Amino acid sequence: MTVAERAVELEEELDYLDRDEKFEWLIDRGKSLEANGTYTDADLVKGCQSKVWLQVSTNGDKVHIEGTSDALITKGIVGLLVELFDTAPTGEVKDFDFIAWLAKNEMSLSYQRMQGLAGMLQRIRMTIK
Amino acid sequence: MSIKSDFPLFANNPDLVYLDYANTAPKPQVVIDAVMEYYTHYSGNVHRANHDVGGRADEAYENARVKIGQFVGVGRDQVVFQKNTTEGINLVANSYAGKHFKKGDRILATGLEHHANLVSWQLLSGRIGTETVFSKVDEHGNFDEKDWMVKVASGVKLAAFTAVSNVTGERLPIERMIAAARAHGVVTLIDAAQLLPHERADFAKLGADFMVFSGHKVYGPTGIGILIGKPEALESMDPWIGGGDMIDTVSLLGSTYQEPPLRFEAGTPPIASVIGLGVAVEYLGEKLDREHQEEESTAMECLLEGLRQVKGLRWLGHPSCDSRLVSFVIDGVHSADLGAYLNEKHVAVRVGKMCAHPLLAQSGVDSVVRASIGLPTDGTDIDKFLYAIERGVTILR
């Protein structure tokens, strides 16, 4: 499935939710995200109120991404990044504007949290460039 | 009529529950009008214009200096315009301590300080080799007065301390502290940023050498902070930043400088912000009476009583109805998540480390939620805040 197709699948879920439900949807994704890996300080992403660990690598043309956070909303965002980008081709990941996608789906995030998100996206960009 | 009606922020955001006064206060219409009037009617430069527009700006600007001085019980020559509290402390660190102190001299701060009153002294240490020592705080984040009294008598040169902690809301016994410091010949600097929005402070009566505060926390504009100094202390200081307006004579061989306060105000200042602050302290001054203080205390008591009912909630320090802010953590709920949820419910609070990393580390917490009240805070705000906390905890746990 392409990144765009994965995004559409998520949008189908979001279409039926109001603002409050979208918030809880993100929290639930955070609660259900399994942190498989072992994380170190090198995986920490700067610029977020909470702690975020993100591991991004490439295998040939495919992106591998996993991570976690000590806060649920951030963990939910990590979950979305994994769902959209893990095992996807690097070109598709590069072309996908995650922040615009959140805005389009009316996923409200405070400015501070956007700063943390910028760090996560920067980590992904730097790895797949 | 509710005080809220003085503030257009609330008319323009009818759902907003604003509990972030300790961060910055909303602006009353009278302050906004004063700023607007400067820009629309007499937006000349100050101290350097030979026309009527500039003359009007001069008059309004210097009148504001008089009003700000009156607000804290000093004359106009003791009121130095800076960018904010932080810049005021840095000016004292550079121009007073940097001039009069030498390597090995010690500066006493408390373990409660905002970074503004901590990093400024660390920078000075790096420059001239002074040492910064700190009084203890207990495991709850409370000021240890006994320890401070021992340290202030140990030969320190300057004691710089917050009057009210921006994390715990504790109001320090600044009157006793200044008296003890004076008895030992120690120069004092009060960080009054969190004090003056809620309590009158007469600088002359207090007897401190310096006091700093920010305009935006006393309902004034951003970009303007105030350093108050004893005349002899200000006169003994060299300029820190050089340029226009702070000079007396200039030649290619050297310059002489203005008397204080202009000596420390190089370049075109934030004229509109100064004028706005003059109006803000008048506005606030009229409301720092018993009636409004009791209203703030009632709001705080309701807030604390509601928070006491939240299972697993722990606050830093010992906030009471006399406090105007409370910082807390809740077991099983990340502060960042709770702050985001509150924002979803139009409740504005501060989340994070409060620019006081050492105090949070000492208290064993990574980040807190801080709710702070101000003049417009009413019972409806507190009810909505507490309801949002209750719902947020249920969802986020």
Side-chain angles (χ1 to χ4, degrees):
Chain A
M1 204 186 292
T2 65
V3 171
E5 286 167 346
R6 298 180 195 189
V8 169
E9 268 200 356
L10 289 168
E11 282 166 31
E12 283 168 1
E13 284 184 48
L14 287 164
D15 277 350
Y16 294 97
L17 306 180
D18 64 21
R19 184 176 161 133
D20 280 0
E21 288 166 336
K22 281 178 184 170
F23 186 87
E24 292 189 36
W25 179 85
L26 193 58
I27 291 289
D28 288 341
R29 293 197 106 70
K31 284 179 179 172
S32 59
L33 178 70
E34 287 178 18
N36 298 317
T38 308
Y39 300 101
T40 67
D41 285 354
D43 301 320
L44 276 170
V45 177
K46 284 185 180 171
C48 192
Q49 283 176 352
S50 49
K51 284 185 178 154
V52 189
W53 295 266
L54 203 62
Q55 289 177 348
V56 188
S57 58
T58 51
N59 186 0
D61 184 41
K62 302 283 185 197
V63 174
H64 175 65
I65 174 168
E66 63 176 286
T68 190
S69 170
D70 60 349
L72 287 173
I73 300 172
T74 316
K75 211 170 156 188
I77 291 169
V78 172
L80 287 177
L81 291 171
V82 171
E83 218 157 319
L84 287 165
F85 297 155
D86 190 42
T87 71
T90 52
E92 286 185 27
V93 174
K94 268 185 207 168
D95 291 343
F96 190 83
D97 187 338
F98 184 68
I99 290 179
W101 182 79
L102 287 176
K104 181 181 134 196
N105 288 285
E106 295 171 335
M107 301 282 284
S108 167
L109 296 168
S110 72
Y111 176 68
Q112 288 260 3
R113 202 163 291 284
M114 292 297 275
Q115 282 186 315
L117 179 55
M120 290 185 239
L121 296 174
Q122 172 78 355
R123 173 77 54 100
I124 294 169
R125 270 197 303 273
M126 294 299 284
T127 309
I128 66 173
K129 69 180 177 185
Chain B
M1 193 181 271
S2 157
I3 286 183
K4 271 207 169 105
S5 62
D6 292 347
F7 295 81
L9 178 71
F10 299 114
N12 291 319
N13 299 275
D15 294 332
L16 176 65
V17 175
Y18 192 79
L19 293 173
D20 201 16
Y21 291 83
N23 198 351
T24 195
K27 317 306 167 202
Q29 187 66 54
V30 285
V31 169
I32 297 164
D33 287 346
V35 170
M36 186 79 90
E37 195 186 351
Y38 165 72
Y39 284 123
T40 52
H41 287 70
Y42 60 100
S43 58
N45 208 338
V46 291
H47 303 159
R48 45 172 75 71
N50 64 339
H51 43 69
D52 287 350
V53 171
R56 284 187 66 190
D58 261 345
E59 193 181 339
Y61 181 83
E62 288 303 332
N63 276 345
R65 197 191 298 271
V66 172
K67 287 180 199 167
I68 294 161
Q70 287 168 345
F71 178 62
V72 291
V74 299
R76 61 173 301 285
D77 291 345
Q78 292 176 256
V79 178
V80 184
F81 294 142
Q82 296 285 286
K83 194 164 61 192
N84 44 38
T85 296
T86 301
E87 194 172 69
I89 297 171
N90 276 273
L91 173 59
V92 174
N94 278 280
S95 289
Y96 186 87
K99 180 178 180 182
H100 297 297
F101 299 165
K102 60 184 189 309
K103 186 178 178 183
D105 284 347
R106 285 178 301 138
I107 287 139
L108 173 62
T110 75
L112 292 164
E113 301 308 325
H114 185 284
H115 293 165
N117 201 24
L118 200 169
V119 181
S120 319
W121 304 111
Q122 289 175 336
L123 285 171
L124 180 73
S125 299
R127 213 156 54 78
I128 68 167
T130 49
E131 186 191 345
T132 313
V133 294
F134 299 91
S135 67
K136 291 178 189 165
V137 290
D138 68 18
E139 69 274 23
H140 302 292
N142 295 310
F143 176 60
D144 186 336
E145 185 177 353
K146 200 173 160 188
D147 183 61
W148 190 89
M149 289 294 175
V150 170
K151 285 179 173 145
V152 82
S154 69
V156 297
K157 294 283 183 185
L158 184 146
F161 46 86
T162 185
V164 173
S165 163
N166 72 309
V167 178
T168 65
E170 179 179 9
R171 198 260 195 215
L172 272 60
I174 57 172
E175 295 81 0
R176 288 200 295 274
M177 294 166 76
I178 293 164
R182 290 182 72 173
H184 295 287
V186 176
V187 175
T188 47
L189 179 147
I190 310 168
D191 174 356
Q194 298 293 351
L195 177 79
L196 291 178
H198 306 287
E199 184 183 322
R200 271 204 176 278
D202 188 311
F203 182 77
K205 279 188 193 158
L206 281 170
D209 295 280
F210 298 102
M211 181 166 79
V212 284
F213 65 99
S214 286
H216 69 98
K217 286 186 167 69
V218 291
Y219 305 96
T222 52
I224 179 67
I226 303 295
L227 165 67
I228 305 290
K230 274 188 176 165
E232 59 272 28
L234 293 176
E235 278 159 21
S236 76
M237 291 161 57
D238 292 333
W240 176 31
I241 296 172
D245 210 27
M246 49 74 75
I247 43 82
D248 183 21
T249 62
V250 179
S251 75
L252 294 182
L253 296 175
S255 305
T256 59
Y257 312 115
Q258 294 256 33
E259 292 298 309
L262 297 185
R263 186 186 296 172
F264 311 110
E265 298 174 0
T268 294
I271 302 166
S273 294
V274 167
I275 292 167
L277 179 56
V279 175
V281 295
E282 270 188 328
Y283 175 88
L284 175 60
E286 286 169 10
K287 292 183 167 52
L288 284 177
D289 55 20
R290 182 181 291 271
E291 180 196 346
H292 289 99
Q293 284 187 332
E294 281 175 1
E295 282 173 10
E296 284 194 353
S297 293
T298 302
M300 194 68 203
E301 183 52 44
C302 292
L303 194 155
L304 293 175
E305 186 49 37
L307 291 180
R308 279 187 197 103
Q309 312 306 318
V310 180
K311 199 175 167 193
L313 185 143
R314 174 167 74 92
W315 44 55
L316 274 64
H318 289 130
S320 71
C321 65
D322 294 329
S323 312
R324 295 295 178 259
L325 62 90
V326 56
S327 298
F328 58 88
V329 291
I330 300 176
D331 287 345
V333 179
H334 198 290
S335 300
D337 285 334
L338 187 56
Y341 180 78
L342 292 174
N343 182 54
E344 287 293 300
K345 297 296 154 195
H346 314 292
V347 178
V349 294
R350 175 93 187 262
V351 176
K353 295 178 189 291
M354 308 297 120
C355 294
H357 293 192
L359 178 57
L360 262 70
Q362 159 95 11
S363 304
V365 296
D366 199 41
S367 73
V368 296
V369 174
R370 182 185 70 188
S372 53
I373 64 167
L375 284 170
T377 306
D378 57 25
T380 308
D381 292 328
I382 305 299
D383 290 346
K384 286 182 177 172
F385 166 72
L386 292 171
Y387 180 72
I389 289 276
E390 188 189 330
R391 287 283 305 136
V393 169
T394 306
I395 290 166
L396 295 166
R397 250 189 193 138

